[in-house]
Protein backbone atom coordinates (compact mmCIF):
# COMPACT_ATOMS: atom_id res chain seq x y z
CA UNK A 1 0.00 0.00 0.00
CA UNK A 2 1.46 3.36 -1.08
CA UNK A 3 1.87 6.03 1.58
CA UNK A 4 2.29 8.87 -0.91
CA UNK A 5 -1.05 10.38 0.13
CA UNK A 6 0.35 10.86 3.64
CA UNK A 7 3.52 12.50 2.30
CA UNK A 8 1.50 14.84 0.08
CA UNK A 9 -0.84 15.74 2.96
CA UNK A 10 2.03 16.48 5.40
CA UNK A 11 3.88 18.45 2.71
CA UNK A 12 0.79 20.52 1.94
CA UNK A 13 0.29 21.47 5.62
CA UNK A 14 3.98 22.35 6.03
CA UNK A 15 4.06 24.45 2.87
CA UNK A 16 0.81 26.22 3.79
CA UNK A 17 2.13 27.27 7.19
CA UNK A 18 5.56 28.17 5.75
CA UNK A 19 3.89 30.40 3.16
CA UNK A 20 1.74 31.99 5.88
CA UNK A 21 4.78 32.85 8.04
CA UNK A 22 6.64 34.13 4.99
CA UNK A 23 3.66 36.33 4.11
CA UNK A 24 3.77 38.06 7.51
CA UNK A 25 7.53 38.54 7.35
CA UNK A 26 8.89 35.64 9.42
CA UNK A 27 11.51 34.73 6.83
CA UNK A 28 14.68 36.16 8.35
CA UNK A 29 17.38 33.54 7.93
CA UNK A 30 20.07 34.79 10.30
CA UNK A 31 18.29 35.23 13.66
CA UNK A 32 20.18 32.92 16.08
CA UNK A 33 21.16 30.77 13.11
CA UNK A 34 17.56 29.60 12.74
CA UNK A 35 15.11 29.56 9.82
CA UNK A 36 12.06 30.44 11.91
CA UNK A 37 9.51 30.13 9.10
CA UNK A 38 10.28 26.39 8.77
CA UNK A 39 10.50 25.81 12.53
CA UNK A 40 7.12 27.49 13.01
CA UNK A 41 5.70 25.47 10.10
CA UNK A 42 6.61 22.25 11.96
CA UNK A 43 5.18 23.59 15.24
CA UNK A 44 1.89 24.55 13.59
CA UNK A 45 1.74 21.18 11.86
CA UNK A 46 1.30 19.87 15.42
CA UNK A 47 -1.42 22.45 16.16
CA UNK A 48 -3.28 21.50 12.96
CA UNK A 49 -3.16 17.77 13.72
CA UNK A 50 -4.20 18.22 17.36
CA UNK A 51 -7.17 20.41 16.45
CA UNK A 52 -8.31 17.75 13.96
CA UNK A 53 -7.89 15.00 16.58
CA UNK A 54 -9.52 16.89 19.46
CA UNK A 55 -12.85 14.96 19.16
CA UNK A 56 -10.85 11.72 19.36
CA UNK A 57 -9.10 13.02 22.48
CA UNK A 58 -12.48 13.69 24.12
CA UNK A 59 -13.55 10.12 23.26
CA UNK A 60 -10.35 8.90 24.90
CA UNK A 61 -11.26 10.71 28.13
CA UNK A 62 -14.81 9.30 28.00
CA UNK A 63 -13.45 5.79 27.52
CA UNK A 64 -11.12 6.21 30.48
CA UNK A 65 -14.05 7.39 32.60
CA UNK A 66 -16.05 4.33 31.49
CA UNK A 67 -13.17 2.03 32.41
CA UNK A 68 -12.85 3.75 35.78
CA UNK A 69 -16.59 3.33 36.45
CA UNK A 70 -16.23 -0.41 35.74
CA UNK A 71 -13.40 -0.94 38.23
CA UNK A 72 -15.67 -2.28 41.04
CA UNK A 73 -17.10 -4.92 38.66
CA UNK A 74 -13.62 -5.76 37.39
CA UNK A 75 -12.45 -6.26 40.97
CA UNK A 76 -15.40 -8.58 41.65
CA UNK A 77 -14.48 -10.69 38.61
CA UNK A 78 -10.86 -10.85 39.75
CA UNK A 79 -11.94 -12.14 43.15
CA UNK A 80 -14.42 -14.57 41.63
CA UNK A 81 -12.00 -16.08 39.10
CA UNK A 82 -8.82 -15.82 41.12
CA UNK A 83 -6.28 -18.26 39.69
CA UNK A 84 -8.28 -18.84 36.47
CA UNK A 85 -6.73 -16.30 34.12
CA UNK A 86 -8.40 -17.60 30.97
CA UNK A 87 -11.93 -17.39 32.41
CA UNK A 88 -11.15 -14.00 33.92
CA UNK A 89 -10.10 -12.60 30.55
CA UNK A 90 -13.24 -13.95 28.87
CA UNK A 91 -15.50 -12.50 31.55
CA UNK A 92 -13.77 -9.13 31.39
CA UNK A 93 -14.02 -8.98 27.59
CA UNK A 94 -17.71 -9.75 27.90
CA UNK A 95 -18.10 -6.99 30.48
CA UNK A 96 -16.33 -4.48 28.22
CA UNK A 97 -18.48 -5.54 25.26
CA UNK A 98 -21.68 -5.24 27.27
CA UNK A 99 -20.77 -1.82 28.70
CA UNK A 100 -19.26 -0.62 25.39
CA UNK A 101 -15.89 0.19 26.96
CA UNK A 102 -12.56 -0.25 25.19
CA UNK A 103 -9.39 -0.63 27.29
CA UNK A 104 -7.22 0.24 24.27
CA UNK A 105 -9.03 3.50 23.53
CA UNK A 106 -6.47 5.38 25.60
CA UNK A 107 -3.82 4.72 22.93
CA UNK A 108 -5.98 5.71 19.94
CA UNK A 109 -4.83 9.37 19.64
CA UNK A 110 -1.21 8.23 19.64
CA UNK A 111 -1.87 5.56 16.99
CA UNK A 112 -3.65 8.10 14.76
CA UNK A 113 -0.60 10.36 14.91
CA UNK A 114 1.79 7.63 13.74
CA UNK A 115 1.06 8.31 10.01
CA UNK A 116 1.79 12.01 10.57
CA UNK A 117 5.05 11.18 12.31
CA UNK A 118 6.08 8.76 9.55
CA UNK A 119 5.15 11.28 6.85
CA UNK A 120 7.24 14.03 8.45
CA UNK A 121 10.13 11.62 9.10
CA UNK A 122 10.13 10.46 5.45
CA UNK A 123 9.89 14.01 4.11
CA UNK A 124 12.70 15.46 6.24
CA UNK A 125 15.00 12.54 5.44
CA UNK A 126 14.84 13.52 1.76
CA UNK A 127 15.91 17.11 2.41
CA UNK A 128 19.53 17.54 1.44
CA UNK A 129 21.39 20.48 -0.11
CA UNK A 130 23.11 17.98 -2.41
CA UNK A 131 19.74 17.45 -4.11
CA UNK A 132 19.47 21.05 -5.28
CA UNK A 133 17.02 21.49 -8.14
CA UNK A 134 14.78 18.57 -7.13
CA UNK A 135 11.17 18.71 -5.99
CA UNK A 136 9.28 16.82 -3.29
CA UNK A 137 5.58 15.88 -3.08
CA UNK A 138 4.24 19.06 -4.65
CA UNK A 139 7.07 21.34 -3.48
CA UNK A 140 8.59 23.86 -5.85
CA UNK A 141 12.33 23.86 -6.43
CA UNK A 142 12.72 27.04 -4.35
CA UNK A 143 10.74 25.55 -1.46
CA UNK A 144 12.79 22.36 -1.56
CA UNK A 145 16.07 24.30 -1.58
CA UNK A 146 14.90 26.54 1.28
CA UNK A 147 13.82 23.59 3.45
CA UNK A 148 17.04 21.70 2.69
CA UNK A 149 19.12 24.52 4.14
CA UNK A 150 16.78 25.27 7.09
CA UNK A 151 18.50 25.17 10.48
CA UNK A 152 17.81 25.40 14.21
CA UNK A 153 20.68 27.21 15.95
CA UNK A 154 22.90 26.31 12.94
CA UNK A 155 21.93 22.60 13.14
CA UNK A 156 20.04 21.42 9.99
CA UNK A 157 16.48 20.24 10.65
CA UNK A 158 17.20 17.11 8.60
CA UNK A 159 20.32 16.33 10.70
CA UNK A 160 20.35 13.60 13.34
CA UNK A 161 22.28 12.79 16.50
CA UNK A 162 23.46 9.64 14.76
CA UNK A 163 24.44 11.36 11.49
CA UNK A 164 27.84 10.39 10.15
CA UNK A 165 30.56 12.93 9.46
CA UNK A 166 29.98 12.58 5.69
CA UNK A 167 26.23 13.16 6.10
CA UNK A 168 26.81 16.27 8.17
CA UNK A 169 29.39 17.54 5.68
CA UNK A 170 26.79 17.11 2.93
CA UNK A 171 24.37 19.18 4.99
CA UNK A 172 27.01 21.85 5.48
CA UNK A 173 26.76 21.56 9.28
CA UNK A 174 29.09 21.29 12.24
CA UNK A 175 29.10 17.78 13.69
CA UNK A 176 29.51 18.90 17.31
CA UNK A 177 26.78 21.54 17.12
CA UNK A 178 24.31 19.17 15.46
CA UNK A 179 24.93 16.43 18.03
CA UNK A 180 24.54 18.84 20.97
CA UNK A 181 21.29 20.32 19.63
CA UNK A 182 19.91 16.88 18.72
CA UNK A 183 21.00 15.37 22.06
CA UNK A 184 19.33 18.12 24.12
CA UNK A 185 16.12 17.78 22.09
CA UNK A 186 16.13 13.99 22.55
CA UNK A 187 16.39 14.41 26.35
CA UNK A 188 13.53 16.93 26.30
CA UNK A 189 11.51 14.55 24.13
CA UNK A 190 12.03 11.68 26.61
CA UNK A 191 11.18 13.84 29.64
CA UNK A 192 8.00 15.31 28.14
CA UNK A 193 6.87 11.88 26.89
CA UNK A 194 7.18 10.53 30.43
CA UNK A 195 5.38 13.55 31.93
CA UNK A 196 2.37 13.27 29.60
CA UNK A 197 1.72 9.67 30.70
CA UNK A 198 2.47 10.40 34.35
CA UNK A 199 0.05 13.34 34.37
CA UNK A 200 -2.83 11.17 33.19
CA UNK A 201 -2.07 8.28 35.56
CA UNK A 202 -1.80 10.60 38.57
CA UNK A 203 -5.22 12.05 37.78
CA UNK A 204 -7.04 8.81 36.98
CA UNK A 205 -5.06 6.28 39.01
CA UNK A 206 -3.68 2.87 38.08
CA UNK A 207 -6.18 0.55 36.42
CA UNK A 208 -7.38 -2.59 38.18
CA UNK A 209 -7.58 -4.45 34.87
CA UNK A 210 -4.18 -6.17 34.29
CA UNK A 211 -4.39 -5.56 30.54
CA UNK A 212 -4.99 -1.85 30.93
CA UNK A 213 -2.38 -1.59 33.70
CA UNK A 214 0.13 -3.17 31.31
CA UNK A 215 -0.75 -0.52 28.70
CA UNK A 216 -0.25 2.20 31.33
CA UNK A 217 3.19 0.82 32.26
CA UNK A 218 4.14 0.65 28.59
CA UNK A 219 3.12 4.27 28.07
CA UNK A 220 4.86 5.46 31.25
CA UNK A 221 8.16 3.57 31.05
CA UNK A 222 8.44 1.58 27.82
CA UNK A 223 8.09 4.38 25.28
CA UNK A 224 10.46 6.86 27.02
CA UNK A 225 13.14 4.13 27.33
CA UNK A 226 12.77 3.19 23.65
CA UNK A 227 13.36 6.83 22.70
CA UNK A 228 16.89 6.63 24.10
CA UNK A 229 17.76 4.46 21.11
CA UNK A 230 15.31 5.53 18.42
CA UNK A 231 15.83 9.23 19.18
CA UNK A 232 19.30 9.07 17.63
CA UNK A 233 17.86 8.32 14.18
CA UNK A 234 15.14 11.02 14.26
CA UNK A 235 15.84 14.17 12.27
CA UNK A 236 15.89 17.33 14.39
CA UNK A 237 12.70 18.52 12.67
CA UNK A 238 10.90 15.34 13.77
CA UNK A 239 12.08 15.79 17.38
CA UNK A 240 10.77 19.38 17.29
CA UNK A 241 7.41 17.94 16.20
CA UNK A 242 7.44 15.32 19.01
CA UNK A 243 8.41 17.80 21.75
CA UNK A 244 5.79 20.32 20.58
CA UNK A 245 3.19 17.56 20.49
CA UNK A 246 4.06 16.52 24.06
CA UNK A 247 3.81 20.10 25.34
CA UNK A 248 0.46 20.49 23.56
CA UNK A 249 -0.73 17.23 25.15
CA UNK A 250 0.32 18.35 28.66
CA UNK A 251 -1.68 21.57 28.30
CA UNK A 252 -4.69 19.85 26.73
CA UNK A 253 -4.81 17.12 29.38
CA UNK A 254 -4.52 19.68 32.16
CA UNK A 255 -7.46 21.64 30.75
CA UNK A 256 -9.67 18.58 30.15
CA UNK A 257 -8.90 16.95 33.51
CA UNK A 258 -9.60 20.21 35.33
CA UNK A 259 -12.87 20.74 33.46
CA UNK A 260 -13.93 17.08 33.76
CA UNK A 261 -12.33 15.76 36.98
CA UNK A 262 -11.90 12.00 37.41
CA UNK A 263 -14.66 9.93 38.95
CA UNK A 264 -14.64 9.66 42.74
CA UNK A 265 -13.94 6.01 43.64
CA UNK A 266 -16.52 4.30 45.90
CA UNK A 267 -15.67 4.28 49.58
CA UNK A 268 -14.82 1.00 51.22
CA UNK A 269 -14.03 -0.28 54.68
CA UNK A 270 -15.14 1.73 57.69
CA UNK A 271 -16.76 4.49 55.63
CA UNK A 272 -18.88 2.00 53.74
CA UNK A 273 -19.93 0.16 56.92
CA UNK A 274 -20.97 3.45 58.51
CA UNK A 275 -23.24 4.18 55.58
CA UNK A 276 -21.17 7.01 54.06
CA UNK A 277 -22.16 7.67 50.48
CA UNK A 278 -19.58 8.64 47.83
CA UNK A 279 -20.12 11.83 45.90
CA UNK A 280 -22.14 11.22 42.77
CA UNK A 281 -20.79 12.16 39.38
CA UNK A 282 -22.77 13.11 36.33
CA UNK A 283 -22.07 10.93 33.32
CA UNK A 284 -18.78 9.54 32.10
CA UNK A 285 -17.04 12.90 32.14
CA UNK A 286 -17.22 13.03 35.91
CA UNK A 287 -19.08 16.29 36.42
CA UNK A 288 -19.57 16.86 40.13
CA UNK A 289 -23.11 16.72 41.46
CA UNK A 290 -24.01 17.83 44.96
CA UNK A 291 -24.62 14.79 47.20
CA UNK A 292 -28.12 14.18 48.55
CA UNK A 293 -28.64 15.51 52.08
CA UNK A 294 -28.14 12.88 54.75
CA UNK A 295 -31.24 11.63 56.56
CA UNK A 296 -31.44 12.82 60.16
CA UNK A 297 -30.81 10.05 62.66
CA UNK A 298 -33.66 9.26 65.05
CA UNK A 299 -32.46 8.95 68.62
CA UNK A 300 -34.32 7.80 71.72
CA UNK A 301 -34.67 10.68 74.17
CA UNK A 302 -33.00 10.18 77.48
CA UNK A 303 -35.22 9.91 80.53
CA UNK A 304 -34.44 12.55 83.08
CA UNK A 305 -33.47 11.35 86.55
CA UNK A 306 -35.53 12.17 89.65
CA UNK A 307 -35.24 15.63 91.04
CA UNK A 308 -33.34 16.08 94.28
CA UNK A 309 -35.57 15.32 97.28
CA UNK A 310 -38.26 13.52 95.25
CA UNK A 311 -39.55 10.17 96.48
CA UNK A 312 -38.23 7.32 94.33
CA UNK A 313 -40.76 5.38 92.28
CA UNK A 314 -39.56 1.97 93.41
CA UNK A 315 -37.75 2.47 96.67
CA UNK A 316 -35.59 -0.37 97.80
CA UNK A 317 -36.36 -1.91 101.09
CA UNK A 318 -33.71 -1.32 103.65
CA UNK A 319 -32.78 -3.79 106.27
CA UNK A 320 -32.86 -2.50 109.86
CA UNK A 321 -29.55 -1.94 111.45
CA UNK A 322 -28.37 -4.60 113.87
CA UNK A 323 -28.76 -3.71 117.44
CA UNK A 324 -25.57 -3.62 119.35
CA UNK A 325 -25.59 -5.44 122.67
Amino acid sequence: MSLDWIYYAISWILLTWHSAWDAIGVSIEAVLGTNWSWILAIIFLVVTVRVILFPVFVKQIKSQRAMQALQPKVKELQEKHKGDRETLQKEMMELYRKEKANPLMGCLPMFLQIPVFLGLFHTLKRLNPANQGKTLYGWTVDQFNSASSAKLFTAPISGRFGSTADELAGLGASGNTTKVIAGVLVLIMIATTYLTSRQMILKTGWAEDPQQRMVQRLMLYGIPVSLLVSGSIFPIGVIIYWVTNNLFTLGQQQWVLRKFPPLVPPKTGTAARNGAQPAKTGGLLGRKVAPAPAKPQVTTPKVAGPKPGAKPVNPKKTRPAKRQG
Side-chain angles (χ1 to χ4, degrees):
M1 180 180 175
S2 176
L3 297 178
D4 282 356
W5 66 274
I6 295 176
Y7 307 146
Y8 275 100
I10 298 304
S11 296
W12 180 83
I13 296 173
L14 278 175
L15 294 176
T16 299
W17 280 113
H18 176 261
S19 299
W21 293 115
D22 267 348
I24 62 177
V26 188
S27 58
I28 302 174
E29 302 289 339
V31 178
L32 298 176
T34 301
N35 303 80
W36 292 108
S37 57
W38 285 110
I39 300 301
L40 289 172
I42 294 173
I43 291 174
F44 277 81
L45 169 64
V46 176
V47 175
T48 303
V49 172
R50 295 309 298 260
V51 169
I52 293 172
L53 292 181
F54 184 75
V56 179
F57 182 77
V58 173
K59 287 184 179 180
Q60 175 193 19
I61 297 296
K62 287 182 177 180
S63 177
Q64 289 172 335
R65 294 293 187 270
M67 294 297 299
Q68 192 177 6
L70 288 177
Q71 290 309 304
K73 293 183 179 180
V74 170
K75 210 162 187 177
E76 288 179 8
L77 290 175
Q78 289 173 338
E79 292 294 329
K80 181 179 179 181
H81 302 291
K82 197 171 185 179
D84 190 352
R85 188 176 183 83
E86 184 177 352
T87 303
L88 174 62
Q89 290 296 328
K90 288 181 180 179
E91 291 288 336
M92 286 173 48
M93 289 300 104
E94 178 62 23
L95 175 65
Y96 294 150
R97 185 195 64 78
K98 182 180 178 182
E99 300 293 338
K100 298 180 180 179
N102 186 352
L104 299 179
M105 186 68 186
C107 301
L108 184 59
M110 183 187 70
F111 289 145
L112 291 179
Q113 291 186 76
I114 290 177
V116 181
F117 173 82
L118 293 176
L120 183 62
F121 180 84
H122 177 83
T123 300
L124 293 181
K125 273 190 68 176
R126 298 190 62 178
L127 296 177
N128 194 318
N131 297 327
Q132 293 286 328
K134 294 186 178 181
T135 58
L136 181 72
Y137 303 116
W139 300 40
T140 66
V141 173
D142 289 342
Q143 288 170 334
F144 183 86
N145 293 342
S146 175
S148 296
S149 59
K151 293 179 173 61
L152 173 68
F153 305 128
T154 72
I157 62 173
S158 55
R160 299 169 290 122
F161 182 84
S163 294
T164 64
D166 291 339
E167 290 172 338
L168 292 173
L171 294 171
S174 165
N176 291 334
T177 301
T178 301
K179 289 184 182 298
V180 168
I181 297 298
V184 170
L185 286 174
V186 167
L187 293 178
I188 296 174
M189 175 176 64
I190 293 171
T192 53
T193 299
Y194 171 79
L195 289 175
T196 54
S197 298
R198 183 173 180 271
Q199 181 190 54
M200 182 64 74
I201 292 173
L202 286 179
K203 292 290 184 179
T204 60
W206 287 95
E208 295 287 345
D209 175 14
Q211 183 179 2
Q212 193 174 12
R213 182 181 284 257
M214 181 179 66
V215 172
Q216 287 178 320
R217 290 188 182 279
L218 175 64
M219 297 287 291
L220 184 61
Y221 303 114
I223 294 179
V225 169
S226 69
L227 292 176
L228 282 172
V229 178
S230 58
S232 64
I233 66 172
F234 293 163
I236 287 176
V238 170
I239 303 177
I240 293 172
Y241 172 88
W242 194 306
V243 170
T244 306
N245 185 65
N246 286 344
L247 295 175
F248 197 99
T249 300
L250 283 169
Q252 191 178 62
Q253 285 183 171
Q254 182 66 23
W255 179 81
V256 171
L257 291 171
R258 181 175 296 177
K259 188 173 180 63
F260 307 116
L263 295 171
V264 178
K267 293 183 179 180
T268 57
T270 305
R273 288 193 296 270
N274 290 342
Q277 297 295 326
K280 295 183 179 180
T281 53
L284 295 177
L285 290 180
R287 297 178 187 273
K288 293 182 179 178
V289 180
K295 294 182 179 179
Q297 295 183 355
V298 179
T299 56
T300 304
K302 295 182 178 180
V303 179
K307 294 181 179 180
K311 187 177 181 180
V313 178
N314 296 314
K316 295 181 179 180
K317 296 181 178 180
T318 59
R319 298 177 62 183
K322 292 183 179 180
R323 297 177 61 183
Q324 295 182 357

